[in-house]
Amino acid sequence: MNNTIQVIIYMITFIVVLMLYRKSKEEEPLLLLKLIGFTILGAFMLDLDGFKLPLGFAIFLLFFRKINVNADMKHIAAYVGLVIFMLGVCIPQIENMIYERIHHVELLETNFYSGSLVEELDHLRDELNIDGYRIELRGLEMTIQQDGTFESLALGLAELTHEGTVNYTINLSNDRKTLEVTRYKVEDEDYLNDYIFTDAELVLANFDLITDAMLDFEGDDYYQLRTDGQRIVYEGKGNKNFQINTAGKIKVENSQLPVQAIVVDVCGGKELDELRNPFKCSRNEQFLLDLLKHDEELNESSVLDVARQRSSEIEEWLTEHTGESIGYEKNGEFVLIKDGVKEKVQESEYVAILKETPRTTILHIERENIWDVTVENPYGDAPHTMVFRLNGETREILDLNFR
């Protein structure tokens, strides 16, 4: 139950109790407080692992039915409490029904090649007010025709918020022009702690690099692409492995494995089954997205370099807080820049600032192979502090924040 509804219920309840007090015909000390007490008693519940019981009202029926003074008013107050109890049980269920109903969001583009999955994600964010601090991809499966027209599309997304996780199940509707979206909230996802899911925008941006030339399987009319959204250490020697990046589709030799990548299983077929998936794959390939060398060394000296390669936001912040972004020398004068204000300083101070900033604090949690990194620079423009965590196994950026 959201806070606004709770406040409204409390206000109405207080007004009702106040009216009962004013209509009472028998004098009684502290009657208003007693009426409030009976209301609270009637509303008191016992929660047994999600199963709610009106314990307070049961106590009222057992011990307070025979009341000598202002009996009617006190009975009504207890029943008001019972109504509050019932609202407390029913309203969250109604809210969940409304929240979890199927939403229909129109596709911006029904063709994979001419559209953008990143733009579709942004459209979903706008339509459904998705504003969590991180959106993870929990799976993607799609089938397209040879010309790129969507036959099927299924996405799993997880919106991470400070109150918990919101899971989204997204499927292409039968008209193939709209997405059917359902969502539900999860407070605890400890069972997924062993899985490393990837930022949805990162994965979808890499999907947007796939062109029709990369899926030109001779004789096939349909193509299916599937991924679970996790970055893994991939050792699939003997498979038809290809790196997908801005340079195109590049063969990955067995000698280059293992690598770290988001693996997409690709297959081609001539016919579709009832679920609009290729009935039989005549050709299989593995597309390796956002590929990194697995033997890349990670230590205190290299962690920032690895992080800026993994995140454009980290790269941008470091660029804006180093070099000429924080100071420069011109005609023998030395200038430092802080929040847009330029200040002339002595050469010694200028050199010291450039050498000493940004200040970096790095902590390696060996048991989890997590690197906690804090980078600070009072010079340049706000925000002046960047904090993030780097997964040492997958090189995934976690919990990136600026302040």
Side-chain angles (χ1 to χ4, degrees), residues 7 11 23 31 62 69 71 96 176 190 303 327 346 381 399:
V7 170
M11 290 177 62
K23 288 186 176 182
L31 177 59
L62 289 173
V69 182
N96 285 337
R176 299 181 226 177
D190 288 343
V303 65
Q346 297 296 320
D381 293 331
D399 304 330

Side-chain angles (χ1 to χ4, degrees), residues 15 54 74 87 90 193-194 226 230 239 251 257 273 303 309 312 336-337 369 375 380-381:
I15 292 172
K74 293 174 182 176
L87 290 175
C90 296
N193 285 344
D194 293 334
R226 294 183 300 171
Q230 296 186 66
N239 295 335
K251 183 73 168 68
L257 300 174
D273 60 19
V303 65
Q309 293 173 12
S312 59
L336 292 175
I337 306 171
N369 197 7
V375 189
D381 293 331

Side-chain angles (χ1 to χ4, degrees), residues 125 172 238 248:
R125 280 173 165 165
L172 187 65

Side-chain angles (χ1 to χ4, degrees), residues 193-226:
N193 285 344
D194 293 334
Y195 297 88
I196 305 297
F197 293 101
T198 311
D199 180 79
E201 186 169 345
L202 171 67
V203 182
L204 298 183
N206 278 274
F207 262 82
D208 284 346
L209 299 176
I210 298 173
T211 64
D212 54 352
M214 298 177 185
L215 292 170
D216 188 15
F217 296 178
E218 186 177 351
D220 290 329
D221 297 320
Y222 303 98
Y223 309 121
Q224 183 186 64
L225 299 90
R226 294 183 300 171

Side-chain angles (χ1 to χ4, degrees), residues 107 110 145 149-152 172-178 276:
L107 273 175
T110 59
Q145 298 177 17
T149 302
F150 284 113
E151 282 286 342
S152 67
L172 187 65
S173 61
N174 290 330
D175 65 8
R176 299 181 226 177
K177 295 180 180 179
T178 58
R276 292 184 178 152

Side-chain angles (χ1 to χ4, degrees), residues 23 91 128:
K23 288 186 176 182
I91 288 179
L128 300 175

Side-chain angles (χ1 to χ4, degrees), residues 142-162:
M142 69 179 186
T143 300
I144 59 175
Q145 298 177 17
Q146 192 176 46
D147 65 358
T149 302
F150 284 113
E151 282 286 342
S152 67
L153 177 62
L155 283 168
L157 298 177
E159 175 192 5
L160 308 188
T161 73
H162 296 292

